Every structure is written in C-alpha cells, then in structure tokens.
Amino acid sequence: MEISNRVTVLRAGKSIATLLTKETNREEISRLMVGRDVLFRVDKRPAEPGETVLSVRGLRAADDKGSPALKGVSFEIRAGEVLGIAGVEGNGQTELVETLTGLRKADSGEIRYLGGDLIGRSVAQIRRMQIGHVPEDRQTSGACLTSTIAENLILDHYRNPDFRWGPFLHKKKIKKFAQTMMATFDVRAQSEETLAGALSGGNLQKVVVARELSKNPKLLIASQPTRGVDIGAIEFIHREVIKRRDAGAAVLVVSAELSEVMALSDRIAVFYNGEIAAVLDNTPDLTEQEIGYYMLGIKKQGQEAAAQ
Amino acid sequence: MKTSKALYLEVGGIVAAVAAALVCGFIVILLTSSEPFAAIGSFLIDPLSNPFNIGTILNKAVPLILTGLSMSVVFQSGVFSMGAEGQLYVGAFVGSLAAVYLPGLNPWIHLPLVLVCAILGGALFAAIPGLMKAYLNANEIVTTLMLNFVAILTTSYLVNNPFKSPDGGGYARMELIGKDILLGKFIPGMPVHAGFLIALAAVAAVFVLMYKTPLGYELRLVGKNGQFARYGGIATRKIVVLTIMISGALAGLAGIVEILGIHQTYKDNFSAGLGFDGIIIALLARNHPIGVLISALLYAYIQVGAQTMQAGSDMPREVAVIIQVMLVLLVTAQAIFAYIRQRYAHSGTKAVK
C-alpha cells in the first residue's frame, strides 16, 4: 500500500483484479483476496458440544527449514463440534496438522487427547487411538496411486486379527470390507481391485475419507478435505463430516477455502503467521470480510480471547 | 485401469522386448555366419532336444531364480541394493564352513543347518548397508557395491589361506563337503539337482510373503509410496533394513545351493556374476516372483542355447552376450516408460468410471 501505484490480487493461481492503489483501500483488497466463492449450504443442527476431546496448549514447532511455524498455539475441540481453521495457506496450518498426527516433532507445548498426551507418540500409535486424518495431499500422502483401492482402504486394518487368517491376510474379508466401504462412500470404480491412480479426484478423496472414518474416529482431522474435488463429492464429504460430528466426534477442518470453513465449522480459529489471531463463533452474522481482517493480520483478538 | 489390464500390458511389453532382443541376436548371426539357419536352429532347438540339456538349463536357472528373487524383494521396497553378489559369497562361505567343519551330524539335521548358516550369513552381511541407509542415510547403491569387494576379496583371502585344502591342486578351495549333504539328482537321466526344488520353494515363499502377508503389504507400500507409508504409521526404516536382509538371505541361499548342487566345495570365485545376473532377472520379471521363475529359465535357456550353438555351428557362444545385453537395454528402456507413465498418469485427465 505504501510503495505501489497499482495492486494486482492473485487468488488460487488466477489474477482476480488490478486496482489503482490510490483508489482502493485495505478492506477492498482483503475482500478480493479472500474471495466470494459459492457458499455450499450444509444442513446441520446447532452443535451440542460435550467433553473436551483435544486440548492444545502453547504448541510450538518448526517448519522443514527449521524456522518457527507454530508460535504458541492453543485451542480446544469438544466432542460434537467442528472447529475450522481459516487462514492464508502457509501460516502454520500444515505444520499444525502434521504435529497433531505425529508426523512432525513439537518443540514445546502440550497436546492432550481424551486425557492422554500425544506429544512424543509415533504416527502408528496415534493412528491406533481412533484419530482419523485426511491429509492435505491425497495423491502423495493420502493414497498410494499404484495400489488397488482395497489396499488403500486397509491401511489401518491389515494388522487387525479380523482381517487375518493365521499369519496371512484374509483376502475374502478384505474384499468384502472394501466393497462395503465403496458402497457406503459412493466410490465409483469397476471393482475394489482398480488401481487408486485411475480414480477421479473426487472418488479418490472418498476412498481417503472412507478409510479415515472406517476406524470410527473420536477425533477427525481433515486438511483441505475437498480440494480439487467435484461438487457432488464436496457435498457428500461435507455431509459425512457433519454426520460424524453429530455422532459425537470432535472435528478439526483446515481449509484454504474460507467458504468451506464457514459452511462446516461451529467455531473458527483464524491462523496468521503461526499464531491464532482469533477464535470466532460461526454465527450467521459473521462475515467473510471480518475473518479476512484476521487472516491478513489487520486485526488481532486479545490473547485472553484467543485462548478461550 | 484395472490391475488385470495393467498386467496384460506389462507382460505384452516384456514379451515384445524379449522377441526384439532375440531378433537382434539373429540378425548378428545372419550377417556373420556361413550357415545362419543351422546356427539359429541349434540355438533354439538343441537346448530342449535331450534330457541332459534340459537338466543343464534347470541347473543354470537355480542360482538365477534365487538371486532374481533376492533382487526383486529389495526393488519392490524401493531399495536399490546391488549387493547380491557379495551376500552370495558370504552366505556360501559361512554355509560351507558349517558343511565342512561340522562332520558326523545326521544329514537331516546337518543340511538344514548348513542352509540356515548361509541364509543368516547373507542376511547379516546385508544388514550393514541396510542399517547405514536407514539410520545414516547412506546411498545403498554405493555401499552395497563397495561391500561386494569386501565380501569377495575377504572370502577369497580366507579360502586361499587358512581354509585352503591341501588336496586342491592348483585351485583355491575348501575340503570337499561330505556326500550325504550334497544336493543330488532327483530325476533319473537328468542332471538337475535338488537345489531346483529349493528354488521353487523359495519362489512360493517369496510370493506368499510379498502378496499374502502384512509384512509384504508394508514392503510393497514403502516401495510404491514412502510418504504414504509414513503417513500410515509404517516404520519405514525398519522395513528398509528388513527388506535388504531378506534379500541377503536369498542371495546367501543361492550361494550355498550352487556349492552343494554343482561345486561340492567352496571354490574361490565360483559365482562370476550370479548376483548381477539377478538384477537383470528381476528387471525382466518386473519384480514378480512368478516372473522371476520364468525369466531365470529363459535366461538359462539362452545360455545353454549359446553353448549348443557353438557346438553345432560356426558361431561362438558370445552371441548370447549380445542377446543378454539387448535384453537389458530393452527391458530397462521399458522400465523408463513405465516410470514415466506412472509419474505423469495422474497429471493428465482421468476417467470417471
């Protein structure tokens, strides 16, 4: 604002608008940056939050280059509510999810899940604790494209005695499980033996969501759950997330799409520069513009409010 | 794409590569031989014309099957070990020590003990580059190639000095192994030794391990998509060490079976590249155990065909080398295509079924 004559706003790889700096203001630019995508209506009852499932206190972690990415993040999620994380990408959301799921080491802070401590636990241990994780990149982390759908679905179950026959994998039970999951989650493919890489983005994401929900999670962490997915699949996945909330799970949704965060969340935590700039109740009078101010660091809630 | 369709495409491609390599060999024969059709005939037909030649093919295939399996296991886990040759020598040496220096045991106990010693020798020697890769991030191609020299030269020193038999004449070899634990012939009139049964059992065991057990699921997943395996909580470092140890065990088994079936004692430099042939076999087989069996038989057939051609025409057996080299070139080129397909398959448009 101080040094430019003109300002071009880029969003999701597209040039959205070019404005003369002297004719515009911070509010207009932030509105353009946040965008006004079609808001998907998700039918949901008001949340009925229960006991605290996940409690994060003063969490600090570094990014891959070693510079601090999380600078003392604190929040809580209770059973039966969806906490959305809004924020411009690269403000620590990825690192938060990786730290919660054991993929990244925390430098300090506390992560308590149903009374137990998650810090220092391995990915395998955390996955066994009924914590579902839909990762942000389904093609690299979320699925193995050169494996079959069935092999992708049994990631949490192949060591389960129910799917074993002595020391061997029980092929029939795996097949039946995969077919049931594909029917329940509307995965459209020729068979469970189809390679995951042959699926469309939406169908592949439904495989990932099916797998993560198949362990009946008490905590579901969904990162960019509908990125690059067709509208039908978006609606389906949103419904499943809300269904899981109504069944009493705590849900953490991280999305670069503000409209998605606003459609799904009961409360919204806004990330800016590795900190939570605000925690807002997702009431009907909350506007995208209001969230946008926090996303861009124009406004910041008081520290005591952020830790509520 | 369904997996079965992918399989047909893959097999079709390999068959085409093999046919093209054979055609290249035949062109060389046509250009250089004064009686090309007799040469090609003795190359293709003579290996199958009598039980002796068939038995020779099977005997030659035995170590190739085992080293091919050894390489296919590590390749499937995405570990590019080149160490089968060294592991084969270590396994054969340790197994031979148990065979020569523990006489008087019941052969039903002694033979399994010898095999187990060879398997453990190969596996433990392979653990060194495995641990170095998993915990020190050392490039396994470099470490395994270097350790091959360590293994080959150390065993060579030992069999030339402390363990050299005085009855060996000019040859560096150990004392002869007792007849009761050698792998004898089991089909009358055919020279094939019982090691072939061990190789078949190994094919079945590797197939079950890779495709029917949780460990095989983990091994393949780590090879196909390490990031997904980590996300799924699979201990990828342990898997890397384990896969290279399984590979070493199979290489060690290849070595001792070759000793017990063919050489009857540990001889210096007995392998001459069986471990490296295993790389070609595994590439040709696309790392599938059944494919390894077929590829090893084909490879042995080409080698025996070259010998019969040398005996039955004016062509030298080196033509087989031309065919083998063409095979390597064409098959690796195919592997490159497959890699490119896999790499870029999901960046293009995808069919919604």
Side-chain angles (χ1 to χ4, degrees):
Chain A
M1 294 298 291
E2 279 83 32
I3 58 169
S4 66
N5 298 113
R6 289 185 300 140
V7 178
T8 297
V9 179
L10 298 177
R11 171 155 46 89
K14 281 187 212 141
S15 167
I16 300 298
T18 300
L19 310 159
L20 289 172
T21 307
K22 60 174 186 257
E23 289 173 10
T24 186
N25 52 40
R26 284 171 160 236
E27 284 69 30
E28 186 181 8
I29 293 174
S30 64
R31 202 172 58 237
L32 288 166
M33 284 169 77
V34 171
R36 293 197 163 276
D37 293 288
V38 184
L39 191 87
F40 294 105
R41 287 276 154 224
V42 181
D43 288 330
K44 56 170 185 167
R45 303 193 305 258
E48 293 161 16
E51 52 161 354
T52 300
V53 172
L54 182 75
S55 156
V56 176
R57 286 272 163 267
L59 187 65
R60 288 172 188 277
D63 65 12
D64 291 336
K65 294 181 202 123
S67 39
L70 296 177
K71 302 166 186 170
V73 169
S74 303
F75 62 89
E76 278 183 359
I77 314 178
R78 285 180 286 173
E81 77 166 348
V82 177
L83 176 70
I85 303 270
V88 177
E89 269 188 277
N91 277 283
Q93 300 96 315
T94 304
E95 286 80 6
L96 172 69
V97 170
E98 287 177 352
T99 312
L100 292 179
T101 52
L103 289 161
R104 183 175 294 274
K105 226 176 128 288
D107 291 335
S108 66
E110 189 181 73
I111 307 173
R112 297 194 72 77
Y113 167 70
L114 293 174
D117 201 350
L118 286 192
I119 297 268
R121 290 196 186 266
S122 72
V123 178
Q125 286 172 328
I126 290 173
R127 286 189 73 85
R128 276 197 295 270
M129 298 167 91
Q130 285 183 291
I131 297 178
H133 172 204
V134 177
E136 61 183 18
D137 190 339
R138 64 177 161 273
Q139 296 196 331
T140 55
S141 300
C144 179
L145 299 182
T146 47
S147 292
T148 64
I149 295 174
E151 286 175 322
N152 271 287
L153 284 171
I154 59 165
L155 185 63
D156 284 302
H157 306 290
Y158 68 96
R159 289 218 173 266
N160 183 338
D162 290 348
F163 290 91
R164 296 266 290 280
W165 182 75
F168 306 114
L169 294 169
H170 198 307
K171 207 173 172 209
K172 264 191 205 150
K173 280 192 183 164
I174 289 171
K175 182 178 172 159
K176 205 171 158 233
F177 169 74
Q179 286 176 341
T180 313
M181 293 313 282
M182 285 171 72
T184 315
F185 286 87
D186 189 35
V187 176
R188 292 173 205 176
Q190 274 179 321
S191 82
E192 79 288 344
E193 291 288 302
T194 303
L195 294 182
L199 296 175
S200 68
N203 278 311
L204 183 60
Q205 189 70 354
K206 283 190 263 183
V207 170
V208 176
V209 171
R211 182 184 65 225
E212 296 310 310
L213 293 183
S214 71
K215 58 182 156 189
N216 199 14
K218 291 202 168 89
L219 170 65
L220 175 66
I221 299 170
S223 198
Q224 318 296 350
T226 59
R227 176 183 279 176
V229 161
D230 60 282
I231 290 173
I234 291 176
E235 287 180 340
F236 186 87
I237 291 168
H238 282 178
R239 270 202 307 279
E240 287 298 326
V241 168
I242 294 303
K243 227 192 263 175
R244 197 56 51 165
R245 179 202 76 165
D246 292 343
V251 182
L252 180 72
V253 172
V254 180
S255 178
E257 291 289 339
L258 191 50
S259 59
E260 176 166 54
V261 173
M262 294 183 74
L264 288 175
S265 308
D266 300 309
R267 288 188 302 140
I268 297 174
V270 188
F271 260 62
Y272 175 71
N273 196 20
E275 292 176 339
I276 292 182
V279 179
L280 309 163
D281 280 323
N282 192 10
T283 50
D285 55 337
L286 180 67
T287 62
E288 295 193 345
Q289 210 168 339
E290 173 77 6
I291 298 173
Y293 294 148
Y294 292 108
M295 278 169 73
L296 301 173
I298 295 167
K299 278 169 87 175
K300 190 172 185 225
Q301 248 177 5
Q303 206 56 43
E304 70 288 350
Q308 73 182 199
Chain B
M1 197 188 326
K2 254 191 107 168
T3 38
S4 58
K5 195 179 155 202
L7 181 70
Y8 296 143
L9 281 175
E10 198 74 52
V11 171
I14 293 166
V15 169
V18 170
L22 285 174
V23 168
C24 288
F26 295 158
I27 290 172
V28 173
I29 295 173
L30 281 171
L31 292 175
T32 55
S33 175
S34 57
E35 37 172 7
F37 295 102
I40 292 173
S42 60
F43 177 82
L44 286 181
I45 297 158
D46 287 1
L48 302 175
S49 61
N50 62 53
F52 180 83
N53 284 354
I54 293 174
T56 309
I57 292 178
L58 298 182
N59 276 347
K60 279 195 180 296
V62 168
L64 297 175
I65 293 169
L66 291 169
T67 53
L69 289 175
S70 160
M71 299 315 294
S72 72
V73 171
V74 268
F75 287 171
Q76 281 224 20
S77 313
V79 178
F80 291 94
S81 164
M82 299 284 138
E85 185 77 357
Q87 293 147 13
L88 177 144
Y89 274 104
V90 171
F93 191 84
V94 175
S96 299
L97 286 182
V100 171
Y101 293 100
L102 294 171
L105 283 173
N106 180 329
W108 291 104
I109 298 170
H110 197 186
L111 177 59
L113 181 72
V114 168
L115 297 180
V116 167
C117 283
I119 286 171
L120 283 179
L124 291 176
F125 186 65
I128 301 168
L131 291 167
M132 284 169 75
K133 176 176 172 64
Y135 296 98
L136 303 174
N137 204 18
N139 184 317
E140 73 274 22
I141 301 176
V142 176
T143 53
T144 51
L145 280 174
M146 290 299 136
L147 283 167
N148 279 345
F149 289 110
V150 174
I152 295 167
L153 295 174
T154 305
T155 52
S156 178
Y157 166 80
L158 291 173
V159 78
N160 271 292
N161 294 289
F163 296 103
K164 186 174 180 180
S165 162
D167 314 326
Y171 295 104
R173 66 163 175 85
M174 282 192 202
E175 301 287 347
L176 289 177
I177 294 168
K179 285 257 179 292
D180 53 348
I181 59 163
L182 292 179
L183 297 168
K185 302 171 183 31
F186 63 99
I187 302 174
M190 218 186 245
V192 59
H193 63 78
F196 189 69
L197 300 177
I198 294 178
L200 288 181
V203 169
V206 171
F207 179 81
V208 169
L209 171 74
M210 292 310 279
Y211 298 100
K212 306 287 173 196
T213 67
L215 178 62
Y217 174 84
E218 292 183 337
L219 289 178
R220 286 183 295 124
L221 216 51
V222 168
K224 284 174 170 179
N225 186 343
Q227 209 175 326
F228 180 59
R230 265 191 304 284
Y231 152 84
I234 293 171
T236 46
R237 288 178 172 183
K238 264 184 221 153
I239 293 293
V240 165
V241 178
L242 213 57
T243 187
I244 202 162
M245 285 182 74
I246 294 170
S247 165
L250 286 161
L253 184 63
I256 196 65
V257 164
E258 190 70 355
I259 296 290
L260 296 176
I262 304 287
H263 301 291
Q264 311 194 347
T265 184
Y266 186 90
K267 290 179 184 161
D268 196 13
N269 288 323
F270 73 97
S271 158
L274 290 170
F276 293 109
D277 288 339
I279 297 171
I280 302 173
I281 306 286
L283 278 174
L284 198 56
R286 290 289 186 271
N287 302 331
H288 194 284
I290 309 292
V292 164
L293 175 63
I294 298 167
S295 310
L297 287 170
L298 176 80
Y299 204 79
Y301 171 78
I302 291 173
Q303 287 183 339
V304 174
Q307 283 173 6
T308 56
M309 180 174 66
Q310 178 162 280
S313 75
D314 61 346
M315 289 305 293
R317 55 181 295 186
E318 277 68 31
V319 172
V321 178
I322 296 175
I323 295 175
Q324 282 165 12
V325 169
M326 288 310 297
L327 214 50
V328 175
L329 284 177
L330 291 165
V331 167
T332 39
Q334 278 233 332
I336 292 167
F337 288 134
Y339 177 74
I340 292 170
R341 263 208 311 275
Q342 189 185 328
R343 246 320 121 94
Y344 295 102
H346 52 77
S347 62
T349 48
K350 272 161 296 182
V352 188
K353 287 267 165 68

